[in-house]
Protein backbone atom coordinates (compact mmCIF):
# COMPACT_ATOMS: atom_id res chain seq x y z
CA UNK A 1 0.00 0.00 0.00
CA UNK A 2 1.35 3.38 -0.94
CA UNK A 3 0.62 6.62 0.84
CA UNK A 4 -1.42 7.93 -2.08
CA UNK A 5 -3.86 5.04 -2.29
CA UNK A 6 -7.30 6.31 -1.41
CA UNK A 7 -8.99 4.84 1.61
CA UNK A 8 -11.43 2.09 0.78
CA UNK A 9 -13.96 3.33 3.32
CA UNK A 10 -13.73 7.02 4.22
CA UNK A 11 -16.71 6.74 6.57
CA UNK A 12 -14.96 4.04 8.61
CA UNK A 13 -11.81 6.17 8.69
CA UNK A 14 -13.77 9.14 9.96
CA UNK A 15 -15.40 7.03 12.68
CA UNK A 16 -11.97 5.86 13.69
CA UNK A 17 -10.85 9.46 14.12
CA UNK A 18 -13.60 10.25 16.63
CA UNK A 19 -12.56 11.01 20.19
CA UNK A 20 -12.44 8.32 22.83
CA UNK A 21 -15.32 9.89 24.76
CA UNK A 22 -17.58 9.88 21.68
CA UNK A 23 -16.76 6.23 20.97
CA UNK A 24 -17.52 5.27 24.59
CA UNK A 25 -20.80 7.15 24.46
CA UNK A 26 -21.80 5.48 21.18
CA UNK A 27 -21.00 2.08 22.72
CA UNK A 28 -23.22 2.93 25.68
CA UNK A 29 -26.00 4.16 23.42
CA UNK A 30 -25.89 1.42 20.80
CA UNK A 31 -24.82 -1.69 22.72
CA UNK A 32 -25.42 -0.77 26.41
CA UNK A 33 -21.70 -1.33 26.99
CA UNK A 34 -20.99 -1.14 30.74
CA UNK A 35 -17.22 -1.14 30.28
CA UNK A 36 -17.55 1.95 28.09
CA UNK A 37 -19.86 3.50 30.67
CA UNK A 38 -17.29 2.84 33.41
CA UNK A 39 -14.69 4.62 31.26
CA UNK A 40 -17.03 7.60 30.81
CA UNK A 41 -17.60 7.61 34.56
CA UNK A 42 -13.87 7.65 35.29
CA UNK A 43 -13.39 10.52 32.88
CA UNK A 44 -16.36 12.71 33.73
CA UNK A 45 -17.38 12.02 37.35
CA UNK A 46 -14.31 13.67 39.00
CA UNK A 47 -14.65 16.68 36.68
CA UNK A 48 -18.36 16.92 37.38
CA UNK A 49 -17.71 16.88 41.10
CA UNK A 50 -15.07 19.61 40.78
CA UNK A 51 -17.39 21.62 38.54
CA UNK A 52 -20.36 21.32 40.92
CA UNK A 53 -18.32 22.05 44.06
CA UNK A 54 -16.87 25.21 42.55
CA UNK A 55 -20.25 26.86 42.82
CA UNK A 56 -20.36 26.23 46.56
CA UNK A 57 -22.07 22.84 46.82
CA UNK A 58 -20.69 20.56 49.53
CA UNK A 59 -18.95 17.29 48.72
CA UNK A 60 -21.83 15.02 49.75
CA UNK A 61 -24.51 16.85 47.77
CA UNK A 62 -22.12 17.22 44.81
CA UNK A 63 -21.72 13.43 44.73
CA UNK A 64 -25.47 12.94 44.80
CA UNK A 65 -25.74 15.22 41.76
CA UNK A 66 -22.85 13.39 40.02
CA UNK A 67 -24.68 10.11 40.61
CA UNK A 68 -27.94 11.47 39.17
CA UNK A 69 -26.14 12.94 36.17
CA UNK A 70 -24.23 9.75 35.34
CA UNK A 71 -27.38 7.63 35.71
CA UNK A 72 -29.17 10.04 33.34
CA UNK A 73 -26.30 9.60 30.86
CA UNK A 74 -26.94 5.85 30.97
CA UNK A 75 -30.73 5.98 30.88
CA UNK A 76 -31.10 8.74 28.28
CA UNK A 77 -28.23 7.68 26.07
CA UNK A 78 -30.61 7.29 23.13
CA UNK A 79 -30.91 11.09 23.13
CA UNK A 80 -27.20 11.57 22.48
CA UNK A 81 -26.67 12.70 18.89
CA UNK A 82 -23.00 13.05 17.89
CA UNK A 83 -24.04 14.98 14.79
CA UNK A 84 -25.11 17.87 17.01
CA UNK A 85 -23.32 17.50 20.33
CA UNK A 86 -20.11 16.55 22.04
CA UNK A 87 -20.39 14.20 25.02
CA UNK A 88 -19.02 16.93 27.30
CA UNK A 89 -21.61 19.47 26.12
CA UNK A 90 -24.44 16.97 26.46
CA UNK A 91 -23.35 16.07 30.00
CA UNK A 92 -22.81 19.76 30.82
CA UNK A 93 -26.48 20.50 30.15
CA UNK A 94 -27.70 17.48 32.10
CA UNK A 95 -25.56 18.62 35.04
CA UNK A 96 -26.73 22.25 34.94
CA UNK A 97 -30.38 21.15 34.73
CA UNK A 98 -29.93 18.82 37.69
CA UNK A 99 -28.10 21.48 39.74
CA UNK A 100 -30.95 23.93 39.16
CA UNK A 101 -33.58 21.33 40.09
CA UNK A 102 -31.74 20.44 43.31
CA UNK A 103 -30.34 23.77 44.45
CA UNK A 104 -33.00 26.24 43.32
CA UNK A 105 -35.84 23.73 43.81
CA UNK A 106 -37.15 24.85 40.43
CA UNK A 107 -38.28 22.62 37.66
CA UNK A 108 -36.21 23.92 34.84
CA UNK A 109 -38.19 24.24 31.60
CA UNK A 110 -36.48 22.26 28.85
CA UNK A 111 -37.02 22.29 25.07
CA UNK A 112 -38.69 19.40 23.30
CA UNK A 113 -36.24 16.61 22.62
CA UNK A 114 -35.33 16.07 19.00
CA UNK A 115 -34.95 12.46 18.05
CA UNK A 116 -32.39 11.42 15.52
CA UNK A 117 -34.08 9.71 12.62
CA UNK A 118 -33.35 6.02 13.08
CA UNK A 119 -33.68 5.33 9.37
CA UNK A 120 -30.83 7.57 8.27
CA UNK A 121 -27.21 6.48 8.51
CA UNK A 122 -25.11 8.61 10.86
CA UNK A 123 -22.91 10.97 8.90
CA UNK A 124 -19.35 10.34 10.10
CA UNK A 125 -18.01 13.42 8.34
CA UNK A 126 -20.52 15.57 10.17
CA UNK A 127 -19.50 14.03 13.53
CA UNK A 128 -15.85 14.58 12.75
CA UNK A 129 -16.47 18.15 11.63
CA UNK A 130 -18.16 18.85 14.95
CA UNK A 131 -15.25 17.35 16.89
CA UNK A 132 -12.83 19.53 14.98
CA UNK A 133 -14.87 22.58 15.95
CA UNK A 134 -14.75 21.44 19.58
CA UNK A 135 -10.95 21.17 19.41
CA UNK A 136 -10.68 24.65 17.92
CA UNK A 137 -12.94 25.95 20.67
CA UNK A 138 -10.73 24.49 23.41
CA UNK A 139 -7.65 26.00 21.75
CA UNK A 140 -9.41 29.36 21.59
CA UNK A 141 -10.26 29.21 25.31
CA UNK A 142 -6.68 28.26 26.08
CA UNK A 143 -5.43 31.36 24.27
CA UNK A 144 -7.63 33.78 26.21
CA UNK A 145 -6.14 36.17 28.74
CA UNK A 146 -6.60 34.78 32.28
CA UNK A 147 -9.31 37.28 33.22
CA UNK A 148 -11.28 36.61 30.01
CA UNK A 149 -10.98 32.89 30.55
CA UNK A 150 -12.17 33.24 34.12
CA UNK A 151 -15.21 35.18 32.89
CA UNK A 152 -16.13 32.37 30.47
CA UNK A 153 -15.71 29.79 33.24
CA UNK A 154 -17.83 31.81 35.63
CA UNK A 155 -20.57 32.27 33.04
CA UNK A 156 -20.84 28.56 32.22
CA UNK A 157 -20.60 27.57 35.87
CA UNK A 158 -23.76 29.64 36.33
CA UNK A 159 -22.06 32.29 38.46
CA UNK A 160 -22.98 35.29 36.30
CA UNK A 161 -26.41 36.90 36.16
CA UNK A 162 -28.12 37.53 32.85
CA UNK A 163 -27.16 41.22 33.10
CA UNK A 164 -23.51 40.29 33.67
CA UNK A 165 -23.56 37.91 30.70
CA UNK A 166 -25.12 40.64 28.56
CA UNK A 167 -22.26 43.02 29.30
CA UNK A 168 -19.58 40.46 28.41
CA UNK A 169 -18.32 39.76 24.94
CA UNK A 170 -18.47 35.99 24.60
CA UNK A 171 -16.39 33.79 22.37
CA UNK A 172 -17.33 33.87 18.70
CA UNK A 173 -19.36 30.71 18.10
CA UNK A 174 -20.31 31.37 14.45
CA UNK A 175 -18.68 28.36 12.77
CA UNK A 176 -19.85 26.04 15.55
CA UNK A 177 -23.41 27.27 15.14
CA UNK A 178 -23.35 26.59 11.39
CA UNK A 179 -21.89 23.12 11.97
CA UNK A 180 -24.54 22.23 14.57
CA UNK A 181 -27.20 23.59 12.26
CA UNK A 182 -26.06 21.14 9.59
CA UNK A 183 -26.47 18.37 12.18
CA UNK A 184 -29.96 19.58 13.09
CA UNK A 185 -30.99 19.69 9.46
CA UNK A 186 -30.23 15.98 9.20
CA UNK A 187 -33.05 15.27 11.63
CA UNK A 188 -36.62 15.02 10.60
CA UNK A 189 -38.55 17.02 13.13
CA UNK A 190 -41.15 19.67 13.64
CA UNK A 191 -38.75 22.59 13.97
CA UNK A 192 -38.50 22.80 10.22
CA UNK A 193 -42.16 23.20 9.44
CA UNK A 194 -43.69 24.84 12.49
CA UNK A 195 -45.58 27.33 10.37
CA UNK A 196 -46.72 24.98 7.64
CA UNK A 197 -48.84 22.72 9.81
CA UNK A 198 -50.32 25.53 11.92
CA UNK B 1 -44.14 29.49 4.46
CA UNK B 2 -42.67 32.43 6.31
CA UNK B 3 -39.56 31.87 8.36
CA UNK B 4 -39.32 32.92 11.97
CA UNK B 5 -37.88 36.42 11.81
CA UNK B 6 -37.70 37.55 15.44
CA UNK B 7 -35.30 35.40 17.46
CA UNK B 8 -34.02 35.15 21.02
CA UNK B 9 -30.90 37.35 21.38
CA UNK B 10 -27.64 35.54 22.00
CA UNK B 11 -27.13 36.88 25.52
CA UNK B 12 -30.54 35.50 26.53
CA UNK B 13 -29.70 32.09 24.98
CA UNK B 14 -26.35 32.12 26.82
CA UNK B 15 -28.12 32.97 30.09
CA UNK B 16 -30.58 30.14 29.48
CA UNK B 17 -27.86 27.59 28.61
CA UNK B 18 -25.81 28.49 31.69
CA UNK B 19 -28.89 28.31 33.91
CA UNK B 20 -28.92 31.93 35.02
CA UNK B 21 -32.31 32.81 33.59
CA UNK B 22 -35.21 32.61 36.04
CA UNK B 23 -38.01 30.13 35.43
CA UNK B 24 -40.57 32.45 33.73
CA UNK B 25 -38.10 33.56 31.05
CA UNK B 26 -36.61 30.08 30.79
CA UNK B 27 -40.05 28.75 29.84
CA UNK B 28 -40.35 31.22 26.94
CA UNK B 29 -36.84 30.39 25.72
CA UNK B 30 -37.41 26.62 26.00
CA UNK B 31 -40.64 27.04 24.01
CA UNK B 32 -38.96 29.07 21.25
CA UNK B 33 -36.18 26.43 21.13
CA UNK B 34 -38.92 23.87 20.47
CA UNK B 35 -39.98 25.89 17.41
CA UNK B 36 -36.85 27.47 15.93
CA UNK B 37 -33.98 25.68 14.21
CA UNK B 38 -31.71 28.71 14.18
CA UNK B 39 -31.90 29.41 17.91
CA UNK B 40 -31.68 25.68 18.66
CA UNK B 41 -28.32 25.57 16.86
CA UNK B 42 -27.11 28.66 18.74
CA UNK B 43 -28.24 27.20 22.06
CA UNK B 44 -26.49 23.90 21.36
CA UNK B 45 -23.31 25.87 20.53
CA UNK B 46 -23.47 27.33 24.05
CA UNK B 47 -23.83 23.80 25.42
CA UNK B 48 -20.65 22.88 23.57
CA UNK B 49 -18.82 25.79 25.19
CA UNK B 50 -20.19 24.69 28.56
CA UNK B 51 -18.84 21.21 27.79
CA UNK B 52 -15.40 22.67 27.09
CA UNK B 53 -15.49 24.42 30.48
CA UNK B 54 -16.52 21.13 32.11
CA UNK B 55 -13.63 19.32 30.37
CA UNK B 56 -11.21 21.88 31.80
CA UNK B 57 -12.67 21.80 35.32
CA UNK B 58 -10.31 20.70 38.06
CA UNK B 59 -11.15 17.22 39.29
CA UNK B 60 -12.26 16.28 42.80
CA UNK B 61 -11.56 12.86 44.29
CA UNK B 62 -14.68 10.71 44.58
CA UNK B 63 -15.76 8.64 47.57
CA UNK B 64 -14.61 5.07 47.14
CA UNK B 65 -18.09 3.59 46.78
CA UNK B 66 -19.64 6.14 44.40
CA UNK B 67 -18.73 4.33 41.20
CA UNK B 68 -19.68 0.91 42.58
CA UNK B 69 -23.03 2.32 43.64
CA UNK B 70 -23.74 3.85 40.24
CA UNK B 71 -22.66 0.72 38.37
CA UNK B 72 -24.95 -1.36 40.59
CA UNK B 73 -27.90 0.89 39.75
CA UNK B 74 -27.59 0.58 35.97
CA UNK B 75 -29.95 -2.38 35.80
CA UNK B 76 -32.47 -1.00 38.29
CA UNK B 77 -35.71 -0.56 36.37
CA UNK B 78 -36.96 3.01 36.40
CA UNK B 79 -40.37 4.30 35.51
CA UNK B 80 -39.62 7.00 32.97
CA UNK B 81 -41.18 10.36 33.77
CA UNK B 82 -43.76 11.09 31.11
CA UNK B 83 -42.51 13.86 28.84
CA UNK B 84 -45.22 16.32 27.92
CA UNK B 85 -45.52 16.44 24.19
CA UNK B 86 -46.80 19.16 21.94
CA UNK B 87 -50.57 19.52 21.85
CA UNK B 88 -52.12 21.70 19.14
CA UNK B 89 -50.47 25.10 19.24
CA UNK B 90 -48.78 24.42 22.59
CA UNK B 91 -45.20 23.06 22.40
CA UNK B 92 -43.94 20.55 24.99
CA UNK B 93 -42.56 23.04 27.54
CA UNK B 94 -45.92 24.89 27.66
CA UNK B 95 -47.78 21.58 28.04
CA UNK B 96 -45.41 20.71 30.90
CA UNK B 97 -46.19 24.05 32.58
CA UNK B 98 -49.91 23.33 32.05
CA UNK B 99 -49.33 19.84 33.55
CA UNK B 100 -50.79 18.34 30.41
CA UNK B 101 -54.17 20.03 30.74
CA UNK B 102 -55.73 22.66 28.47
CA UNK B 103 -55.33 26.27 29.67
CA UNK B 104 -57.90 27.58 32.14
CA UNK B 105 -58.57 31.07 30.87
CA UNK B 106 -59.60 33.96 33.09
CA UNK B 107 -61.23 36.99 31.52
CA UNK B 108 -59.50 40.35 31.75
CA UNK B 109 -62.31 42.18 29.93
CA UNK B 110 -62.69 43.32 26.30
CA UNK B 111 -62.40 39.69 25.23
CA UNK B 112 -58.84 39.46 26.51
CA UNK B 113 -58.04 36.40 28.61
CA UNK B 114 -55.05 35.12 30.53
CA UNK B 115 -53.86 31.91 32.08
CA UNK B 116 -51.07 32.30 34.61
CA UNK B 117 -48.55 29.45 34.38
CA UNK B 118 -46.09 30.26 37.11
CA UNK B 119 -44.95 33.21 39.09
CA UNK B 120 -43.02 34.36 42.11
CA UNK B 121 -41.54 37.58 43.44
CA UNK B 122 -38.99 37.62 40.61
CA UNK B 123 -41.44 37.43 37.76
CA UNK B 124 -44.27 35.58 36.13
CA UNK B 125 -45.22 33.89 32.88
CA UNK B 126 -48.67 33.54 31.41
CA UNK B 127 -50.61 32.73 28.28
CA UNK B 128 -52.52 35.65 26.80
CA UNK B 129 -55.50 35.40 24.46
CA UNK B 130 -56.08 38.56 22.43
CA UNK B 131 -59.01 38.87 20.00
CA UNK B 132 -58.23 40.47 16.63
CA UNK B 133 -57.84 44.23 16.89
CA UNK B 134 -57.36 44.20 20.65
CA UNK B 135 -54.17 45.38 22.33
CA UNK B 136 -51.97 43.09 24.38
CA UNK B 137 -52.71 44.08 28.01
CA UNK B 138 -50.48 46.70 29.58
CA UNK B 139 -48.55 46.05 32.73
CA UNK B 140 -45.58 47.48 34.51
CA UNK B 141 -42.23 45.89 33.93
CA UNK B 142 -38.82 47.17 34.94
CA UNK B 143 -36.57 44.78 33.15
CA UNK B 144 -36.79 42.12 30.51
CA UNK B 145 -40.10 41.20 28.91
CA UNK B 146 -40.25 38.19 26.58
CA UNK B 147 -43.30 37.51 24.41
CA UNK B 148 -43.65 34.55 22.06
CA UNK B 149 -46.49 34.13 19.55
CA UNK B 150 -48.14 30.69 19.51
CA UNK B 151 -51.18 31.49 17.34
CA UNK B 152 -52.21 34.44 15.17
CA UNK B 153 -50.00 37.51 15.06
CA UNK B 154 -49.57 40.98 16.48
CA UNK B 155 -48.00 44.21 15.31
CA UNK B 156 -46.44 47.05 17.22
CA UNK B 157 -44.14 49.99 16.61
CA UNK B 158 -41.16 47.65 16.13
CA UNK B 159 -42.64 45.22 13.61
CA UNK B 160 -44.92 42.28 12.94
CA UNK B 161 -44.80 39.11 15.04
CA UNK B 162 -46.08 35.83 13.63
CA UNK B 163 -46.19 32.28 15.06
CA UNK B 164 -42.77 31.43 16.54
CA UNK B 165 -41.57 35.03 16.67
CA UNK B 166 -40.26 36.32 19.98
CA UNK B 167 -40.33 39.94 21.05
CA UNK B 168 -37.74 41.02 23.56
CA UNK B 169 -38.49 44.31 25.27
CA UNK B 170 -36.69 46.14 28.02
CA UNK B 171 -37.92 49.08 30.06
CA UNK B 172 -36.90 51.53 27.34
CA UNK B 173 -39.39 50.18 24.83
CA UNK B 174 -42.75 51.90 24.84
CA UNK B 175 -44.89 49.75 22.61
CA UNK B 176 -48.50 48.83 22.02
CA UNK B 177 -48.81 45.37 20.49
CA UNK B 178 -52.17 44.83 18.75
CA UNK B 179 -53.52 41.48 17.56
CA UNK B 180 -54.00 41.33 13.80
CA UNK B 181 -57.06 40.13 11.92
CA UNK B 182 -57.38 36.34 11.75
CA UNK B 183 -57.46 33.83 14.58
CA UNK B 184 -57.13 35.25 18.09
CA UNK B 185 -53.51 35.93 18.99
CA UNK B 186 -52.29 33.58 21.71
CA UNK B 187 -48.89 34.34 23.18
CA UNK B 188 -46.67 33.29 26.00
CA UNK B 189 -45.42 36.30 27.97
CA UNK B 190 -42.83 36.48 30.73
CA UNK B 191 -42.08 39.61 32.71
CA UNK B 192 -40.44 40.59 35.95
CA UNK B 193 -43.76 42.04 37.08
CA UNK B 194 -44.70 40.34 40.36
CA UNK B 195 -47.58 37.95 40.19
CA UNK B 196 -50.77 39.89 40.78
CA UNK B 197 -54.12 39.01 39.31
CA UNK B 198 -54.64 42.53 37.98
CA UNK B 199 -51.05 43.03 36.89
CA UNK B 200 -52.32 43.03 33.33
CA UNK B 201 -55.03 45.48 32.37
CA UNK B 202 -56.54 45.68 28.91
CA UNK B 203 -55.95 49.03 27.32
CA UNK B 204 -58.44 51.00 25.29
CA UNK B 205 -57.14 51.70 21.88
CA UNK B 206 -57.10 54.91 20.01
CA UNK B 207 -59.26 54.61 16.89
CA UNK B 208 -56.15 54.75 14.68
CA UNK B 209 -55.97 50.97 14.94
CA UNK B 210 -58.29 49.49 12.39
CA UNK B 211 -58.98 45.84 11.83
ZN1 LIG C 1 -35.16 31.70 16.90
Amino acid sequence: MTQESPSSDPAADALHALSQETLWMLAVRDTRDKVAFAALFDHFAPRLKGFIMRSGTGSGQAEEIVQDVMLTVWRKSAMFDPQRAQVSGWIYQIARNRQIDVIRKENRPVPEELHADQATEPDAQQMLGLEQEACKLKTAIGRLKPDQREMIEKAYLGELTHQEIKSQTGLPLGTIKSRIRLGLEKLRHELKDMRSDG
Amino acid sequence: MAEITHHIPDHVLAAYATGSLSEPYALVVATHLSMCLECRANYEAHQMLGGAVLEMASTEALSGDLKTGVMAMLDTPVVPQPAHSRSGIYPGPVMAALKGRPPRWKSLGLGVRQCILTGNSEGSVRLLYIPPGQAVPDHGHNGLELTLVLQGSFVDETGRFDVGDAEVADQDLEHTPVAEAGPPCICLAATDAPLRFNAFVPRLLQPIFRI
Side-chain angles (χ1 to χ4, degrees):
Chain A
M1 278 263 245
T2 62
Q3 285 282 21
E4 298 90 66
S5 75
S7 167
S8 55
D9 187 353
D13 283 357
L15 271 178
H16 211 72
L18 290 173
S19 73
Q20 192 59 253
E21 291 89 65
T22 304
L23 295 173
W24 286 330
M25 193 61 226
L26 289 175
V28 167
R29 186 191 73 176
D30 299 336
T31 62
R32 310 306 281 155
D33 183 335
K34 286 184 184 169
V35 176
F37 179 80
L40 278 176
F41 187 97
D42 290 338
H43 181 79
F44 281 107
R47 284 175 173 78
L48 278 168
K49 188 177 174 189
F51 180 87
I52 294 161
M53 284 183 70
R54 235 197 83 169
S55 34
T57 306
S59 175
Q61 191 172 35
E63 289 203 348
E64 280 174 34
I65 296 174
V66 170
Q67 173 176 312
D68 291 344
V69 170
M70 292 311 296
L71 283 172
T72 304
V73 168
W74 174 258
R75 288 168 188 160
K76 293 219 167 167
S77 64
M79 297 314 305
F80 174 68
D81 179 2
Q83 303 188 88
R84 291 155 51 211
Q86 293 282 287
V87 185
S88 57
W90 190 62
I91 294 183
Y92 167 82
Q93 198 68 73
I94 295 173
R96 285 299 294 139
N97 290 353
R98 189 68 197 144
Q99 271 182 292
I100 291 164
D101 289 350
V102 170
I103 292 157
R104 277 201 229 146
K105 310 252 189 297
E106 274 183 12
N107 235 334
R108 182 175 143 88
V110 290
E112 283 175 19
E113 287 176 344
L114 306 175
H115 298 261
D117 197 339
Q118 298 292 338
T120 50
E121 277 291 299
D123 182 338
Q125 291 300 335
Q126 166 67 16
M127 294 185 213
L128 201 58
L130 193 65
E131 292 220 323
Q132 283 160 351
E133 290 298 339
C135 282
K136 280 192 237 163
L137 180 63
K138 271 182 233 168
T139 312
I141 298 173
R143 285 197 189 126
L144 290 174
K145 292 187 193 130
D147 58 328
Q148 286 176 305
R149 185 179 154 153
E150 200 191 326
M151 229 12 129
I152 296 277
E153 285 173 356
K154 279 183 132 170
Y156 288 85
L157 280 157
E159 290 172 3
L160 298 187
T161 65
H162 172 229
Q163 279 307 318
E164 287 165 333
I165 287 173
K166 196 177 171 184
S167 63
Q168 296 293 323
T169 42
L171 279 176
L173 295 173
T175 56
I176 296 174
K177 290 172 182 175
S178 353
R179 175 55 76 172
I180 293 174
R181 184 160 180 156
L182 287 175
L184 279 166
E185 278 165 2
K186 292 184 181 299
L187 307 180
R188 189 172 54 208
H189 53 68
E190 288 178 298
L191 290 191
K192 287 182 198 163
D193 49 16
M194 263 309 295
R195 289 189 179 178
S196 53
D197 55 24
Chain B
M1 271 303 138
E3 294 272 310
I4 292 174
T5 50
H6 300 277
H7 296 280
I8 303 283
D10 200 54
H11 58 85
V12 179
L13 283 179
Y16 174 73
T18 61
S20 46
L21 214 52
S22 67
E23 195 181 347
Y25 300 117
L27 179 62
V28 180
V29 175
T31 307
H32 184 79
L33 291 175
S34 305
M35 304 168 85
C36 177
L37 192 70
E38 185 170 326
C39 289
R40 188 72 175 235
N42 296 356
Y43 160 65
E44 291 183 357
H46 284 291
Q47 290 182 330
M48 197 152 134
L49 185 43
V53 170
L54 172 63
E55 281 281 358
M56 292 185 296
S58 52
T59 57
E60 279 286 332
L62 306 171
S63 310
D65 53 356
L66 186 67
K67 185 180 174 186
T68 328
V70 170
M71 295 303 293
M73 276 186 269
L74 295 186
D75 291 324
T76 311
V78 278
V79 184
Q81 291 203 335
H84 291 282
S85 53
R86 180 182 297 254
S87 174
I89 61 165
Y90 303 112
V94 175
M95 287 313 293
L98 286 165
K99 298 182 175 66
R101 294 188 291 263
R104 293 175 65 181
W105 297 106
K106 293 226 160 69
S107 174
L108 288 172
L110 300 173
V112 177
R113 303 179 217 165
Q114 72 169 351
C115 167
I116 294 168
L117 296 175
T118 171
N120 55 34
S121 56
E122 286 169 36
S124 56
V125 59
R126 69 199 72 209
L127 290 166
L128 289 167
Y129 175 105
I130 325 285
Q134 275 298 339
V136 175
D138 195 10
H139 57 92
H141 69 100
N142 307 309
L144 185 65
E145 180 190 46
L146 275 181
T147 309
L148 175 67
V149 179
L150 301 177
Q151 176 184 289
S153 60
F154 70 76
V155 282
D156 71 7
E157 291 82 344
T158 68
R160 178 168 185 277
F161 296 80
D162 206 332
V163 171
D165 284 330
E167 181 171 60
V168 181
D170 58 23
Q171 66 270 43
D172 301 328
L173 181 68
E174 275 294 329
H175 63 138
T176 309
V178 178
E180 290 194 300
C185 180
I186 295 179
C187 36
L188 180 66
T191 84
D192 62 355
L195 182 60
R196 295 198 314 267
F197 180 67
N198 60 352
F200 279 60
V201 286
R203 44 188 150 194
L204 289 163
L205 290 179
Q206 303 297 322
I208 50 167
F209 295 105
R210 291 180 183 277
I211 306 167

